[in-house]
């Protein structure tokens, strides 16, 4: 088994290294036909060639291509800005550079696409499964050496992953052209599912879904003794693969809006944007259904379902962010701070984001129905852009996943997710769900607190025999699984008994 594990690790590391190296293997040659495919006007193409004479004659490296195009676009826009006619201004430069990089890519990755697909995705998945296979022979819930591991205890490997994750998100948002080779490799799958060309967003969806699926298998092996964990892990794998990835792609194949039907406001913060409402309202029956479905989810489903089963129905069973946290982030769950100061920061942070989302959405709806672009002197577009940048990109993207190896796997869910805050309010005051405790059986081992991903000091509740009804609890149930005495139990009961103690 040890040989299989080491071999699997070697396969995975080879695939991971090749994935990153593939972005710099090819060379690039731009032709007039490629420029025409970008959607640039004939005048813009002429200006580009005039301001960059070597654009159609040189073979470029990836970085050389990006630098040359950026400089050429800047020169064209400067010419346009200094003239009376600004019609030649080039907008969406980042997307255009990415499209050119994909179309002009030449070399090994492009010529041997099938081979690279196997070596990167196929061999990577095979290696991951081989690495996980010995876990079947180990005892369930094996956390041996977790506090001495360079990956799971803020060691050098955790630091590397933090830097890599943040760097990947930075490239994804600001330099998608660097992902041109992964885009090329996922092109056949994108065309098959949606009939559209691949993009950096499609690559992200593929990687996200693979991580949830592959590490979901690892999670199942580790927690195989618990029926509850088996079912909820299969659930998040199902919703991520089918609802978040496949259905939106297939909808595009049938010329319908690409909708993640499990996502809802305020997590889906752009739901009430004018462009989004217009897209749904002009897309026929399905668009109208999606609009009504989205409103029903947050207005009806959240309070009703949360009343009966608590926050766990969404955060631990359905949500894509929670799915990644539970599977890809399981190795880091013990890193969440249990300090009282962290809890105070958490409450200030997460409810501030919720208020920001409400204000931004209220402004959006006001502008939509009144036709006025601003409210109280503040432009609605400015609020939307600020929320999208600081919350949607920086907090949920860069920090939310990047900080897994340093602060635990639920950083976004705990400190930033406005939907988590909304559902948490319902759970705290109007829900039958609670984690009951038997204080007389608690031996104060601390396992429950250690492995609570939401930073709850579960032991302190258990010692007092007090039910846990915290708004932040996502009902993952790990605390009950690691308790050696069966002190903790996830239950639903009458609201009148939610706060009672066993002592």
């Amino acid at each position: 088994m040890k040989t299989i594990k080491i071999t699997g690790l070697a396969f995975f590391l080879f695939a991971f290294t090749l994935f990153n190296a593939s972005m710099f293997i090819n060379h690039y040659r731009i032709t007039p036909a490629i420029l025409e495919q970008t959607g640039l006007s004939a005048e813009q193409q002429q200006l580009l060639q005039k301001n960059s004479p070597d654009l159609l004659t040189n073979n470029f490296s990836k970085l050389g291509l990006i630098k040359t195009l950026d400089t050429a676009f800047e020169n064209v826009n400067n010419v346009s800005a200094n003239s009376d006619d600004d019609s030649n201004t080039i907008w969406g430069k980042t997307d255009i550079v990415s499209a050119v990089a994909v179309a002009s890519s030449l070399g090994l990755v492009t010529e041997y696409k099938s081979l690279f697909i196997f070596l990167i995705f196929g061999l990577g998945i095979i290696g991951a499964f081989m690495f996980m296979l010995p876990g079947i022979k180990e005892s369930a819930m094996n956390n041996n050496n977790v506090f001495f591991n360079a990956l799971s205890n803020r060691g050098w490997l955790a630091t590397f992953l933090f830097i890599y994750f943040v760097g990947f998100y930075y490239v994804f948002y600001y330099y998608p052209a660097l992902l041109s080779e992964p885009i090329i490799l996922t092109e056949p799958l994108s065309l098959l599912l949606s009939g559209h060309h691949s993009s950096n967003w499609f690559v992200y969806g593929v990687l996200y879904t693979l991580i949830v699926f592959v590490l979901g298998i690892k999670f199942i092996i580790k927690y195989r003794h618990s029926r509850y964990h088996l079912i909820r892990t299969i659930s998040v794998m199902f919703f991520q693969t089918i609802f978040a990835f496949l259905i939106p792609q297939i909808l595009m194949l049938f010329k319908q809006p690409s909708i993640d039907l499990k996502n809802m406001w305020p997590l889906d913060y752009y739901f009430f944007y004018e462009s989004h409402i217009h897209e749904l309202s002009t897309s026929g029956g399905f668009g109208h259904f999606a609009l009504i479905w989205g409103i029903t989810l947050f207005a009806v489903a959240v309070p009703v379902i949360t009343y009966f089963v608590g926050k766990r129905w969404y955060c631990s069973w359905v949500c894509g962010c929670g799915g990644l946290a539970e599977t890809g982030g399981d190795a880091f769950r013990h890193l969440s701070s249990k300090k009282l100061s962290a809890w105070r920061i958490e409450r200030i942070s997460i409810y501030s984001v919720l208020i920001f989302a409400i204000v931004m959405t209220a402004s959006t709806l006001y502008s939509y129905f009144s036709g006025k672009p601003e409210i109280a002197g503040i432009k609605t577009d400015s609020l939307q852009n600020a929320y999208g940048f600081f919350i949607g990109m920086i907090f949920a993207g860069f920090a939310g996943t990047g900080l897994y190896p340093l602060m635990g796997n639920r950083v976004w869910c705990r400190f930033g997710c406005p939907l988590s805050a909304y559902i948490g309010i319902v759970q705290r005051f109007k829900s039958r769900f609670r984690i009951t405790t038997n204080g007389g059986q608690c031996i104060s081992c601390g396992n429950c607190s250690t492995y609570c991903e939401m930073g709850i000091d579960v032991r302190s509740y258990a010692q007092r025999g007090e039910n846990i009804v915290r708004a932040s609890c996502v009902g993952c149930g790990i605390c009950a699984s690691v308790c050696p005495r069966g002190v903790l139990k996830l239950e639903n009961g009458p609201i009148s008994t939610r706060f009672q103690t066993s002592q």
Side-chain angles (χ1 to χ4, degrees):
M1 281 295 184
K2 185 177 181 180
T3 302
I4 294 176
K5 187 172 185 176
I6 294 175
T7 303
L9 179 61
F11 284 169
F12 177 80
L13 290 178
F14 174 82
F16 177 76
T17 302
L18 186 60
F19 171 79
N20 292 281
S22 68
M23 304 178 202
F24 302 96
I25 291 177
N26 277 3
H27 61 277
Y28 307 85
R29 182 69 180 265
I30 302 175
T31 65
I34 290 174
L35 287 181
E36 291 177 4
Q37 295 174 16
T38 62
L40 296 174
S41 67
E43 291 78 12
Q44 289 172 329
Q45 294 177 42
Q46 291 175 2
L47 284 172
L48 274 178
Q49 296 178 47
K50 180 179 179 181
N51 286 277
S52 184
D54 60 346
L55 193 62
L56 301 181
T57 59
N58 283 4
N59 282 329
F60 296 98
S61 65
K62 175 69 69 65
L63 296 180
L65 176 74
I66 294 174
K67 183 178 179 180
T68 299
L69 286 174
D70 281 343
T71 301
F73 288 158
E74 185 178 347
N75 291 336
V76 170
N77 287 345
N78 287 336
V79 170
S80 182
N82 294 327
S83 67
D84 295 331
D85 182 12
D86 62 353
S87 61
N88 288 325
T89 300
I90 297 176
W91 306 101
K93 294 186 294 182
T94 299
D95 292 334
I96 294 175
V97 173
S98 179
V100 171
V102 171
S104 63
S105 184
L106 301 169
L108 292 176
V109 178
T110 305
E111 294 174 13
Y112 302 100
K113 185 186 299 183
S114 298
L115 176 61
F116 275 85
I117 290 174
F118 170 74
L119 292 177
I120 293 175
F121 296 104
L123 197 61
I125 294 173
I126 292 172
F129 282 136
M130 289 177 66
F131 182 79
M132 295 185 297
L133 188 62
I136 297 176
K137 293 291 185 179
E138 299 174 354
S139 60
M141 282 297 298
N142 186 349
N143 289 304
N144 292 344
N145 299 316
V146 69
F147 291 107
F148 301 96
N149 192 297
L151 172 65
S152 56
N153 196 32
R154 302 187 180 98
W156 68 269
L157 190 52
T159 303
F160 167 77
L161 281 182
F162 164 71
I163 295 172
Y164 182 83
F165 287 153
V166 172
F168 179 83
Y169 272 95
Y170 183 80
V171 167
F172 175 80
Y173 280 106
Y174 291 107
Y175 294 98
L178 287 173
L179 297 173
S180 58
E181 277 64 46
I183 291 173
I184 290 171
L185 294 179
T186 55
E187 176 84 348
L189 181 60
S190 182
L191 291 174
L192 174 66
L193 294 177
S194 68
H196 287 69
H197 293 292
S198 180
S199 66
N200 57 320
W201 287 103
F202 186 77
V203 170
Y204 181 80
V206 170
L207 295 177
Y208 198 108
T209 303
L210 281 177
I211 291 172
V212 170
F213 185 83
V214 174
L215 293 184
I217 300 298
K218 181 177 184 294
F219 193 94
I220 287 173
I221 293 174
K222 181 177 179 180
Y223 298 96
R224 61 188 179 275
H225 67 295
S226 169
R227 180 172 177 269
Y228 180 75
H229 295 316
L230 291 178
I231 294 175
R232 76 183 185 91
T233 305
I234 291 172
S235 176
V236 296
M237 292 164 65
F238 169 80
F239 278 103
Q240 173 57 38
T241 304
I242 305 300
F243 277 74
F245 182 64
L246 290 180
I247 290 179
Q249 298 299 320
I250 295 172
L251 285 172
M252 287 194 291
L253 188 63
F254 290 95
K255 313 300 181 184
Q256 296 294 330
S258 178
I259 301 292
D260 179 356
L261 292 172
K262 67 175 178 54
N263 205 5
M264 73 179 92
W265 182 90
L267 181 58
D268 183 5
Y269 61 87
Y270 52 83
F271 183 83
F272 291 105
Y273 282 15
E274 181 176 358
S275 58
H276 189 246
I277 293 178
H278 177 75
E279 180 186 23
L280 295 183
S281 61
T282 58
S283 298
F286 176 78
H288 294 137
F289 162 77
L291 186 60
I292 296 171
W293 172 262
I295 295 174
T296 303
L297 272 182
F298 79 84
V300 179
V302 167
V304 171
I305 302 178
T306 305
Y307 171 80
F308 286 104
V309 299
K311 191 177 182 177
R312 53 183 170 165
W313 77 272
Y314 191 80
C315 297
S316 286
W317 289 67
V318 174
C319 179
C321 300
L324 183 66
E326 290 292 334
T327 55
D330 178 63
F332 312 108
R333 63 185 309 115
H334 58 286
L335 299 177
S336 60
S337 175
K338 314 304 187 294
K339 294 180 180 179
L340 185 60
S341 57
W343 185 22
R344 290 170 180 159
I345 294 172
E346 170 191 332
R347 287 178 291 178
I348 294 172
S349 176
I350 196 168
Y351 293 119
S352 295
V353 173
L354 177 60
I355 292 171
F356 189 2
I358 292 173
V359 170
M360 183 270 293
T361 301
S363 174
T364 297
L365 290 173
Y366 172 80
S367 295
Y368 179 76
F369 288 108
S370 69
K372 298 178 180 178
E374 61 181 43
I375 180 172
I378 302 176
K379 291 185 177 181
T380 297
D381 287 349
S382 298
L383 284 175
Q384 292 175 349
N385 293 336
Y387 191 95
F389 177 77
F390 290 107
I391 308 303
M393 185 175 73
I394 300 297
F395 207 156
F398 283 66
T401 305
L403 287 174
Y404 275 12
L406 302 182
M407 292 181 61
N409 60 324
R410 287 272 189 172
V411 176
W412 164 245
C413 310
R414 183 180 176 188
F415 293 95
C417 178
L419 181 56
S420 176
Y422 168 38
I423 303 178
I425 292 173
V426 178
Q427 174 172 273
R428 178 67 176 81
F429 297 105
K430 282 292 180 182
S431 176
R432 293 165 55 85
F433 172 73
R434 80 290 308 268
I435 299 179
T436 59
T437 63
N438 184 348
Q441 293 293 319
C442 180
I443 60 174
S444 299
C445 67
N447 281 353
C448 52
S449 292
T450 298
Y451 292 103
C452 177
E453 59 191 356
M454 297 305 293
I456 301 173
D457 187 3
V458 181
R459 178 172 59 179
S460 67
Y461 289 89
Q463 288 172 333
R464 298 192 301 269
E466 183 178 336
N467 290 345
I468 301 171
V469 293
R470 284 266 285 269
S472 58
C473 177
V474 294
C476 69
I478 298 296
C479 59
S481 297
V482 298
C483 178
R485 299 296 297 272
V487 172
L488 305 164
K489 191 174 182 181
L490 280 66
E491 293 186 351
N492 299 319
I495 291 183
S496 59
T497 63
R498 293 183 77 229
F499 299 97
Q500 72 179 19
T501 62
S502 61
Q503 296 175 339

